[in-house]
Amino acid sequence: GNSVTQMEGPVTLSEEAFLTINCTYTATGYPSLFWYVQYPGEGLQLLLKATKADDKGSNKGFEATYRKETTSFHLEKGSVQVSDSAVYFCALSSGGSNYKLTFGKGTLLTVNP
Amino acid sequence: EAGVAQSPRYKIIEKRQSVAFWCNPISGHATLYWYQQILGQGPKLLIQFQNNGVVDDSQLPKDRFSAERLKGVDSTLKIQPAKLEDSAVYLCASSLDPTGVGVEQYFGPGTRLTVT
């Protein structure tokens, strides 16, 4: 079955530091890959996505590249801000009859000023 | 555009009691999802509706959980009777077209359930 493994948190960084959150997946076929973010007190929202190998998703300074050869979709940002503090979820959707999302466990990021 | 609405936001009940959660998806979204998010874990799909029909309920504990989506718009998820392990955040999401590659799901704020 499908599964997503992302790095354990929590991750604590200083403002302007470089961020990487690792994500690897197991799936049948050719999944679409997503990063969702959950800010404190809010619902999940889509951060970025990639639908085929070598695609790069980007949004708000965050980037992730779909690497089929390593089954990975690592999230990166060159310079984090305090406002980026949130829980980040890697997820995949592998089609079939319902394209349901399979999520990783989430990584809590705290950025200190 | 209004987002996905859920109520209540918080609920505390005793074990063996019953509880119901309500979700109103984004207008025009044919697909509605209910997820369970236990503390420290990612959301897990409980049930997916396409209009008012069930597409996937393979992970719904049907002995105690039920869900309906009458008229293909809003939906209700019920737990009866509740167990301690049902303590979680229940998320509702909706999407326009479930069959598109990379289709985005839009999530509501969730209902935090505590079973004591």
Side-chain angles (χ1 to χ4, degrees), chain A residues 32 34 36 38 41-46 49 51 89 93 97-106, chain B residues 9 35 37 40-43 45 48 55-56 59 91 98-105 107-109:
Chain A
S32 295
F34 305 81
Y36 276 82
Q38 189 170 35
E42 298 184 17
L44 281 162
Q45 55 186 275
L46 180 66
K49 68 180 181 183
T51 58
F89 293 90
S93 169
S97 63
N98 61 353
Y99 289 83
K100 70 180 183 184
L101 286 172
T102 300
F103 286 89
K105 291 186 176 182
Chain B
R9 293 293 307 274
Y35 289 86
Q37 185 179 10
Q41 299 182 21
L45 180 70
Q48 177 183 343
V55 174
D56 185 345
Q59 297 191 90
L91 299 168
T99 60
V101 173
V103 66
E104 179 177 355
Q105 295 183 23
F107 285 80

Side-chain angles (χ1 to χ4, degrees), chain B residues 19-38:
Chain B
V19 65
F21 313 126
W22 174 83
C23 172
N24 191 34
I26 293 173
S27 178
H29 281 196
T31 308
L32 185 148
Y33 313 79
W34 283 103
Y35 289 86
Q36 180 191 57
Q37 185 179 10
I38 293 173

